[in-house]
Amino acid sequence: FIDYAFGLSLGKYKGLPIVDHGGSDAGYRSDLLRFPDQHFSVACLCNISINPSQLARQVADIYLAKELKPEPAKPEEPAVKLTAAQLTDKMGIYYNPNGDVIRRIILQNDSLRMVQGVAGTGIELKPLSDTRFRPVGQATEIRFEPMGAGGMRWIDIPDSGANPVVYERAEEFKPTLAQLADYVGQYQSDEIEPIYRMTIRNGKLALERLKSSPAQLEPAIHDLFTNPQANIRLVRDTQGKVSGFILNRSRSLNFRFKKAGASTR
């Protein structure tokens, strides 16, 4: 089941099928919610500080009150107590190659937390068993599976029935200044005019581009760096030299940049 089809989110709200899509840019937010069987739609436009999806559903609650059915509360599974060893063996950096997505599992105050990227406090994972966890406040379940040679992966299983997402544990990359120097240079894409520059600032790799402050990049796994806005994977030529990078973010996948002066082989 795929709940996202050609820019439209498919699902149900209080028992009724819905087609929905939200949007945002600059200082505004929007949501268009449609109930196809009832021939009823709600369009909501608002400022950045308001949740338009929530407001659209509140409007639907009024107009479709006789047809909507209260969603039954799902019984909540109780948390279980795990040993320190059961928690620590799941820690580390995990990688999904589809979009170069990075997640880190950390231990904080005797609880596992899932961090998007490599920095931050993340979301607490409520243990349901040694292998099953539920991110607090999210409609999904995480299941850990040991792999050969001490490896580990986890599967993100959404409650909506959407396709699961698999992350495999990877070796953390801790580059030296000499390794960072390999990435320094000027990069450009055939698709856009602005020039991107890789520099080293305060011992960290940074991305510089027009109309934006320098963005510090945190190393994740070899040749892959991340920050809250995007993931950047450096690519190399047949001689092993850095020849460009691929930028991935929520709405842009496999955006390619070539390093100035790099070989085309």
Side-chain angles (χ1 to χ4, degrees):
F1 171 69
I2 299 175
D3 62 356
Y4 193 70
F6 291 102
L8 298 175
S9 297
L10 309 178
K12 285 191 173 184
Y13 178 69
K14 294 186 177 180
L16 300 181
I18 60 171
V19 180
D20 183 41
H21 196 279
S24 63
D25 193 19
Y28 69 81
R29 297 289 182 266
S30 65
D31 192 75
L32 177 59
L33 173 65
R34 185 164 69 92
F35 293 80
D37 293 347
Q38 286 68 39
H39 303 285
F40 177 79
S41 298
V42 182
C44 183
L45 304 174
C46 58
N47 293 328
I48 191 172
S49 58
I50 301 174
N51 186 335
S53 298
Q54 183 181 35
L55 290 178
R57 283 157 177 75
Q58 290 174 347
V59 172
D61 286 342
I62 296 172
Y63 281 86
L64 300 178
K66 294 182 179 180
E67 299 182 63
L68 293 171
K69 300 176 182 178
E71 296 177 345
K74 294 182 179 179
E76 186 175 340
E77 289 189 64
V80 300
K81 182 68 174 179
L82 299 181
T83 66
Q86 289 174 312
L87 295 173
T88 56
D89 74 349
K90 298 170 180 64
M91 295 169 56
I93 281 185
Y94 291 77
Y95 173 64
N96 179 284
N98 184 18
D100 291 326
V101 180
I102 290 291
R103 296 287 185 267
R104 183 192 287 273
I105 302 295
I106 64 173
L107 182 62
Q108 188 177 79
N109 299 327
D110 298 324
S111 295
L112 287 184
R113 302 186 74 90
M114 177 183 66
V115 180
Q116 296 187 11
V118 296
T121 57
I123 300 169
E124 182 180 352
L125 300 182
K126 173 185 172 181
L128 305 178
S129 73
D130 179 27
T131 59
R132 296 172 54 237
F133 292 75
R134 180 165 287 274
V136 175
Q138 295 194 348
T140 190
E141 182 177 305
I142 288 176
R143 296 181 186 176
F144 286 90
E145 294 183 352
M147 301 172 65
M152 181 74 73
R153 72 174 186 173
W154 58 269
I155 305 172
D156 189 334
I157 306 175
D159 293 349
S160 65
N163 292 335
V165 181
V166 178
Y167 297 82
E168 291 191 7
R169 189 157 58 191
E171 183 178 355
E172 186 173 359
F173 184 40
K174 297 181 179 180
T176 64
L177 283 177
Q179 288 175 306
L180 291 180
D182 285 343
Y183 307 125
V184 171
Q186 181 173 297
Y187 297 76
Q188 193 164 12
S189 171
D190 292 336
E191 300 180 57
I192 60 174
E193 293 183 0
I195 293 172
Y196 283 42
R197 291 181 175 86
M198 292 279 192
T199 62
I200 296 178
R201 288 174 170 263
N202 301 320
K204 296 277 190 175
L205 194 65
L207 183 67
E208 301 178 358
R209 67 269 198 218
L210 189 65
K211 296 183 180 180
S212 298
S213 300
Q216 182 173 300
L217 303 177
E218 296 292 340
I221 62 177
H222 188 260
D223 282 345
L224 178 61
F225 292 76
T226 184
N227 75 5
Q229 285 74 46
N231 297 323
I232 291 179
R233 175 163 48 89
L234 282 298
V235 296
R236 298 177 182 270
D237 60 21
T238 55
Q239 305 301 315
K241 295 182 179 180
V242 175
S243 59
F245 69 77
I246 296 175
L247 183 148
N248 284 297
R249 57 185 303 174
S250 60
R251 299 185 179 183
S252 304
L253 294 179
N254 296 320
F255 201 178
R256 296 177 178 271
F257 288 77
K258 180 183 177 182
K259 188 177 184 182
S263 171
T264 58
R265 295 180 298 162

